[in-house]
Amino acid sequence: MVHTRSSVTVTESWAGTEEKSFGVVRQYRQLVPLSNTAVRSVRGVPLRSLTPTTVPPPAPISSVMHRETIEQRAKAIETAVSPTPSRCPVAKDFQQARAHHPVLASTGCTRDFCQAGRAVHTGEARVGENRAIEIVEKEAKGFLEELHREHFFPTDEAFTSRLSGALAEIRSTACEGFIRESRQHGTIGGNWDQTPAEIEFGIRRAWRNARKCIMRSHSDELKLCDMRNTTTSTEMAGELLQNMCEAFNGGNVVPTVFLLPARKANSRGPMIWNHQVLEFAGYQMEDGSILGDPVSVELTKAIIDLGWEPPSPRTRWDLLPLVVMADNDIPAMVEVPSPLRDLIHIRHPRYSNEFKELDLRWVSVPALTRLGFDIGGMQYTAAPFIGWFMDAEIGVRDLADTFRYNALPDVVRALGLLNGKDGGAGADLEDLPEYERLAVLSHAQTELTYAVHWSYQQAKVSMSDTLTASIKWCQYDDEFKAKHGFRLPADPYWLAPPQGSIVPVWHRGGAPNYQPKPMISKHVQDPLKAWAREKPDDFVATRHRIVARVRLKRPRVQVRSTTNDDFRNTCNDHTVRDLPASQHQTLNESPIHALRTALENDKAAVDRTRLSMSLYFCSAGTLAEKTATKLYDRLSDLSKSIPGVSVCSGIKPLNQLNPSTVISSELVLAVVSSTGQGEVPTNG
C-alpha cells in the first residue's frame, strides 16, 4: 500500500464544563493511507478521547502554588491530550494558560464556528444573569487561589479561613431562581463580601485579561474608587461625577474604576444608560439627517423622554446628561460638570485656519459605562472606568468613520487635498478613481490624527499614540511570556491598529485567543429596554428629575506625575529651549563628556582593573529604552578609544539585573522612568 505524509488538523475545545470556551488548533503529522478518508486517531489517541473529561481538573490549593505546580498541571494536560509532546507553539501556550487559569470564560467560538473576525462575539460571558451555585463557588475559589499564588494571604491558614468564609456567605445568600445558561430553575449562588484590596486586585487582573485592549501594560496602575455604599440612583450619579472629576486630575488622568454595588440574585443590578460618561447627543432631524453623533440617536431620544431639555440652539457637540439607574429605583439624570464637560478643540500646527474653520472637537477622556466586572463569582454590573484616549480612536474612528461624524471629506476640502487632481479645486472626491480617493482620504486621516494628538498635548490632557501603545503592548506581552511561558489573551480584530502593518502589533495576533476570569464584560440587558419594562404606568417625565448641579468638593489629594511624553515635551519646551544655543551641545554631551574625562584621568586604574559597563532601562513607555540605546551606542564608540574599557552586549530591562552578580570592576548604568502616579514599571 502506498503511503504519503499528510497534515491532520484536530480542533480541541476546552472549558471545564463548557465546550466552547477555548479553541486551539494543533497540527499533527502521521502516515495516512491515500485511500483512507477517515482519520480515527491521532498518534494513537482515539479522537473520541480528546475531550475535556480526559484532562485532570486542577487540584485544590492548600499552600502557595509555585511554578513547579503550574508546570506539573500543564504537563498533565499535555499527557492527557497526547502521549507524545507536541511541537506546536500554540498548543504549548494553551497548556500553560489552561494550567494557570482553571476558570475560563467562553470566547464565543466553537469547533465549527470561529468569530475571530467579528467585532462582537455571540455567546460571550455577560454580567447581570443568575448563575448556579456550583459555578459561583468554583469562581470564588479560583479567584482566592489566584490571590494566594500572588502571596496575598500571609499564611495557608489565612487563605483557608478566607475561602471557608466566602463559601459560607455564598451558600447563606443563595436562593431559587431561573438560570439563563441552563434555561432551568435551580439554586442560584449568592454574594460574598469582597474587601477593597481583593477587588482592586480583581479589576487589575480583569484589565490584564481584557483581550480586546492594547493598553494593558498599565493594568497595575489601575485604582479603585469603592462606591458600594451608594444605594439610590441620585446618590450614585452625583458621587460618580464627583469622584471622576478627581480622577481626571487636571488632565493627568489617574486610571480608575468607580465600583457601584454588586448585583444580587434575581435582580439586574445597577445600570447606566450612557455608553460613556462623556457622550454627544444625536438628533434625528425632520429631513432624515442627523445632527451630532449618529450612534447616540436612540439614547438621546430616551433621555429627552425622561425629561431632559436640550440646549437651544442644538449643536453637534451637545453633551448628554449622565443617567444612572439603581436597583428598584427610577433613573436619575445629572448634568456633567466642568472640568469634565470642557471639550478639546482640534487644531493643527500647520493648518491653523483650516482646522479652526472645521471646528472639530472631542471629549477629554474616555469613561466607559456599559461594561461590568466579573470577579470571583461576583457581578459588578455598573463599574465605569476612566482612562485616556489613543489618538487613532478619535482621528481614525470617532471623527472619521462614515457612520459617525464622517469628517474626512470635510478635511480633504479644507486642506485643499484635491488641488492638482482632475477638475482642480472643484473636483469631487467621489469622482476620483478608487486608488486616488484612497490616497487622498489616507492623507486626510493622517493629518486629522496628528491634529488630535497635538491638540491634546496643547491642552495638557493625557493621550497615547498608536505606535507607542503598540510597542508597549508587544514589550508587555513578551515580558509576560518570558515569565510565565505563555502569552496574554489577545483578539487580533481589536488589537490590530487601523494604520495597518507599519505598526508592529499588526503582525502578531493572539496566541491563542482565550478569556480568563476575572474579566470585563457587557451586561446581558440593554438599560433602555430594561427601563421600558420597569417603568411605572403613572411615571411622568419632568425636568425636576435632573440633578441640576454637582457640588465639587476640593480634591483630597491632587497627584501629579510625569509620563514619558510629558517628560519629553517638558524637556523640548523648556529645558533646551530656554538655554542659549551654544549650550545645547554641552547639555546633550555632558554625561558622556564627564565619563570620558573620568576614564582618561585615571587610565592607570583602568589598566589595573579592566572596567566593564552594563546598561539597563526601566520604563512603561519607550523613552527610557530609546535613551539607553543611544547611550549604549555612544559608550561602545567611546570604549574603543580607551584601553581596558568594555561594554557588555546590548541593553536589558532592569528587572534582569541580579545585584549579587555585580563585581567591583563592573559599572552598572540604568536609565529609569516611573509610570502612572510614580509607580515602578513592571520591568523595574
Side-chain angles (χ1 to χ4, degrees):
M1 180 178 294
V2 179
H3 292 77
T4 184
R5 190 169 293 277
S6 64
S7 178
V8 180
T9 300
V10 179
T11 302
E12 302 162 344
S13 296
W14 304 86
T17 57
E18 291 187 71
E19 180 185 17
K20 59 183 180 180
S21 86
F22 192 119
V24 59
V25 177
R26 305 183 62 184
Q27 301 287 337
Y28 293 87
R29 286 197 172 278
Q30 69 179 90
L31 292 175
V32 181
L34 283 175
S35 59
N36 187 5
T37 59
V39 180
R40 301 177 181 273
S41 65
V42 176
R43 289 188 175 179
V45 180
L47 291 185
R48 70 178 65 183
S49 69
L50 296 178
T51 65
T53 57
T54 65
V55 179
I61 296 181
S62 58
S63 60
V64 178
M65 177 176 287
H66 298 289
R67 184 170 182 82
E68 291 78 6
T69 308
I70 297 291
E71 292 175 347
Q72 290 170 4
R73 183 188 295 174
K75 184 64 176 178
I77 293 174
E78 164 68 10
T79 302
V81 173
S82 174
T84 306
S86 172
R87 296 180 180 178
C88 176
V90 175
K92 181 72 176 295
D93 266 9
F94 159 68
Q95 295 151 14
Q96 295 286 348
R98 188 67 182 88
H100 276 74
H101 302 291
V103 179
L104 291 173
S106 172
T107 62
C109 295
T110 67
R111 293 176 183 268
D112 305 314
F113 181 53
C114 176
Q115 303 191 63
R118 305 183 67 178
V120 179
H121 295 192
T122 60
E124 288 183 306
R126 303 290 182 98
V127 293
E129 59 185 9
N130 291 333
R131 294 174 184 165
I133 188 171
E134 297 82 9
I135 298 297
V136 177
E137 288 180 343
K138 176 185 177 182
E139 295 189 2
K141 181 174 177 288
F143 175 63
L144 290 174
E145 288 175 346
E146 186 172 6
L147 282 168
H148 196 28
R149 289 198 299 271
E150 297 296 332
H151 310 287
F152 186 85
F153 300 104
T155 64
D156 292 347
E157 291 74 18
F159 160 71
T160 303
S161 175
R162 183 68 179 114
L163 176 59
S164 299
L167 296 178
E169 287 185 74
I170 292 171
R171 291 161 187 164
S172 65
T173 55
C175 61
E176 296 298 311
F178 181 77
I179 301 173
R180 182 170 172 268
E181 183 180 13
S182 64
R183 301 186 180 277
Q184 295 178 349
H185 281 79
T187 304
I188 303 166
N191 288 358
W192 58 290
D193 187 24
Q194 296 173 331
T195 67
E198 290 169 344
I199 295 175
E200 187 166 71
F201 176 88
I203 61 175
R204 290 175 175 179
R205 280 300 162 93
W207 190 8
R208 194 186 78 175
N209 294 337
R211 66 186 196 277
K212 299 177 181 179
C213 180
I214 199 174
M215 300 298 296
R216 284 177 276 169
S217 59
H218 296 276
S219 59
D220 287 338
E221 302 166 25
L222 189 61
K223 307 297 182 185
L224 170 68
C225 180
D226 193 345
M227 296 174 53
R228 289 178 293 169
N229 60 339
T230 56
T231 56
T232 67
S233 300
T234 301
E235 187 181 13
M236 291 178 184
E239 286 292 317
L240 173 58
L241 289 178
Q242 161 65 43
N243 292 320
M244 192 165 288
C245 287
E246 294 187 21
F248 179 66
N249 196 30
N252 188 31
V253 180
V254 180
T256 306
V257 170
F258 308 93
L259 199 77
L260 298 180
R263 171 192 177 272
K264 297 179 181 178
N266 292 323
S267 70
R268 56 167 167 76
M271 301 181 77
I272 297 177
W273 286 21
N274 310 61
H275 301 92
Q276 301 216 24
V277 171
L278 305 177
E279 186 168 6
F280 292 119
Y283 306 108
Q284 183 81 52
M285 309 302 285
E286 292 183 358
D287 62 357
S289 63
I290 295 173
L291 177 66
D293 195 340
V295 301
S296 302
V297 170
E298 182 184 8
L299 175 64
T300 302
K301 183 180 183 304
I303 293 180
I304 291 175
D305 291 343
L306 194 62
W308 180 57
E309 296 178 7
S312 181
R314 300 179 180 185
T315 74
R316 56 179 178 163
W317 310 116
D318 295 341
L319 280 177
L320 289 168
L322 180 69
V323 182
V324 180
M325 188 165 60
D327 252 340
N328 303 314
D329 195 6
I330 62 174
M333 289 187 290
V334 56
E335 295 285 4
V336 177
S338 183
L340 293 178
R341 70 179 301 107
D342 298 339
L343 303 181
I344 306 296
H345 292 255
I346 308 302
R347 298 291 184 264
H348 197 298
R350 296 191 300 273
Y351 301 101
S352 178
N353 293 331
E354 290 84 350
F355 269 82
K356 187 175 181 179
E357 292 178 3
L358 285 169
D359 191 30
L360 298 175
R361 313 173 190 180
W362 205 251
V363 298
S364 55
V365 290
L368 299 171
T369 50
R370 285 201 184 182
L371 295 176
F373 282 81
D374 193 338
I375 303 172
M378 293 289 291
Q379 301 178 49
Y380 298 98
T381 55
F385 49 96
I386 185 175
W388 52 83
F389 282 114
M390 188 169 70
D391 51 15
E393 291 182 77
I394 303 170
V396 179
R397 299 301 312 276
D398 298 328
L399 288 175
D401 278 342
T402 55
F403 53 87
R404 296 292 296 280
Y405 277 83
N406 194 27
L408 290 186
D410 294 334
V411 175
V412 168
R413 286 186 286 270
L415 271 55
L417 300 183
L418 291 176
N419 295 345
K421 307 296 181 184
D422 292 340
D428 191 335
L429 180 64
E430 297 301 321
D431 292 338
L432 295 177
E434 275 65 26
Y435 76 96
E436 285 268 23
R437 183 154 56 94
L438 177 61
V440 170
L441 289 174
S442 297
H443 188 175
Q445 185 185 81
T446 300
E447 296 295 352
L448 177 56
T449 304
Y450 181 88
V452 166
H453 197 100
W454 186 83
S455 301
Y456 277 74
Q457 280 190 333
Q458 298 304 301
K460 292 181 170 54
V461 174
S462 300
M463 168 166 279
S464 176
D465 67 272
T466 306
L467 191 57
T468 298
S470 174
I471 293 171
K472 289 166 70 173
W473 159 251
C474 294
Q475 175 183 307
Y476 184 65
D477 190 33
D478 288 343
E479 291 172 355
F480 183 88
K481 181 174 176 61
K483 181 178 180 181
H484 298 284
F486 63 99
R487 295 197 177 278
L488 288 163
D491 188 332
Y493 183 96
W494 288 85
L495 293 189
Q499 290 92 335
S501 60
I502 60 174
V503 182
V505 76
W506 188 87
H507 300 277
R508 290 171 74 95
N513 184 12
Y514 61 101
Q515 183 56 68
K517 289 190 177 184
M519 65 178 293
I520 302 172
S521 56
K522 292 184 177 181
H523 199 292
V524 72
Q525 296 188 56
D526 181 292
L528 303 185
K529 295 179 180 179
W531 169 241
R533 291 190 295 268
E534 298 174 10
K535 183 169 64 175
D537 295 336
D538 58 351
F539 178 82
V540 178
T542 171
R543 172 75 177 175
H544 297 295
R545 296 192 185 279
I546 295 181
V547 181
R549 188 183 301 275
V550 175
R551 292 185 179 180
L552 296 181
K553 310 172 196 171
R554 189 178 188 84
R556 291 182 291 275
V557 179
Q558 189 74 10
V559 181
R560 185 75 183 179
S561 68
T562 305
T563 64
N564 293 334
D565 289 339
D566 290 336
F567 177 76
R568 180 168 57 246
N569 296 335
T570 301
C571 291
N572 292 339
D573 293 343
H574 303 288
T575 309
V576 176
R577 186 178 59 192
D578 295 342
L579 290 172
S582 60
Q583 296 184 28
H584 290 184
Q585 183 69 16
T586 303
L587 176 71
N588 294 331
E589 293 289 333
S590 56
I592 300 297
H593 177 74
L595 186 59
R596 178 195 295 270
T597 302
L599 293 174
E600 288 179 344
N601 290 341
D602 196 11
K603 285 187 176 180
V606 171
D607 291 338
R608 289 194 304 269
T609 60
R610 297 198 58 83
L611 179 67
S612 66
M613 293 182 287
S614 303
L615 268 76
Y616 296 85
F617 68 92
C618 165
S619 174
T622 60
L623 182 59
E625 185 175 3
K626 289 179 180 179
T627 304
T629 300
K630 292 180 180 179
L631 181 59
Y632 172 80
D633 293 339
R634 300 294 300 277
L635 289 176
S636 297
D637 293 339
L638 176 61
S639 65
K640 296 175 183 177
S641 62
I642 302 178
V645 175
S646 62
V647 181
C648 295
S649 177
I651 63 173
K652 299 178 182 179
L654 187 57
N655 59 358
Q656 294 185 17
L657 172 62
N658 184 357
S660 63
T661 63
V662 178
I663 58 178
S664 59
S665 60
E666 181 179 1
L667 176 63
V668 176
L669 301 176
V671 181
V672 299
S673 172
S674 63
T675 184
Q677 307 303 308
E679 292 89 355
V680 177
T682 56
N683 58 1

